[in-house]
Amino acid sequence: MRPTPKDLQVLVPAYFSGTGTSSPWNTLTAGATSYPKVQITAITNPHGGILTPNTEVNADVLTAMTAFRAVTKPAGDPSNRVVGYVATASGSSGALSVTDVKATIDNYIRLYPGVLDGFFLDGMSADSNRLAYFQDIYTYIKSLNDGKYSVIGNPG
């Protein structure tokens, strides 16, 4: 006897501009409208994965994310979600500090209030020697927004 299959969910690396009518965000929003029973989680990366305190809001991407999240779903179906891309490693120099990662998360929340559903942590390690590092970041994220933010890890 097979278990009942779960509904389809899609994770989209939405690392593109929100500018203009030909923006891929518009295509993503149209797809979400056409397939309302599919939960789509878009990973936004409006600032290259590292948001410094001086980073300004990307108004085009904010508008696009807001429109994407506003797509109406049938009652009981999960809504579309947007998660912020957060780099945890920097090229050949290795891991970013926990302080830098937390600052990036804080800046996402400051620049895009009420639009994010969580965070996508890129560059996670499969080594147990970095477990405490990622536990610290996970615990920090879960301490925000009454624990409602999701955390997606990518060992890529």
Side-chain angles (χ1 to χ4, degrees), residues 45-48 50-62 65 107-108 110-112:
N45 188 6
H47 302 280
I50 301 172
L51 276 67
T52 64
N54 298 327
T55 304
E56 293 182 15
V57 66
N58 183 324
D60 292 328
V61 171
L62 176 58
M65 289 189 297
N107 286 327
Y108 262 116
R110 177 180 57 83
L111 294 169
Y112 304 99

Side-chain angles (χ1 to χ4, degrees), residues 26-84:
N26 294 334
T27 305
L28 186 61
T29 301
T33 302
S34 297
Y35 297 95
K37 291 192 137 316
V38 176
Q39 180 186 17
I40 301 172
T41 299
I43 308 165
T44 187
N45 188 6
H47 302 280
I50 301 172
L51 276 67
T52 64
N54 298 327
T55 304
E56 293 182 15
V57 66
N58 183 324
D60 292 328
V61 171
L62 176 58
T63 299
M65 289 189 297
T66 302
F68 171 72
R69 287 185 80 236
V71 171
T72 303
K73 297 287 193 170
D77 284 346
S79 62
N80 296 319
R81 301 170 349 125
V82 176
V83 295

Side-chain angles (χ1 to χ4, degrees), residues 64-116:
M65 289 189 297
T66 302
F68 171 72
R69 287 185 80 236
V71 171
T72 303
K73 297 287 193 170
D77 284 346
S79 62
N80 296 319
R81 301 170 349 125
V82 176
V83 295
Y85 175 95
V86 179
T88 63
S90 59
S92 62
S93 64
L96 295 170
S97 72
V98 170
T99 301
D100 288 341
V101 171
K102 288 178 180 179
T104 295
I105 291 163
D106 291 342
N107 286 327
Y108 262 116
I109 294 167
R110 177 180 57 83
L111 294 169
Y112 304 99
V115 180
L116 295 174

Side-chain angles (χ1 to χ4, degrees), residues 8-34:
L8 179 64
Q9 295 183 28
V10 179
L11 183 64
V12 178
Y15 308 155
F16 29 75
S17 167
T19 306
T21 57
S22 63
S23 167
W25 274 104
N26 294 334
T27 305
L28 186 61
T29 301
T33 302
S34 297

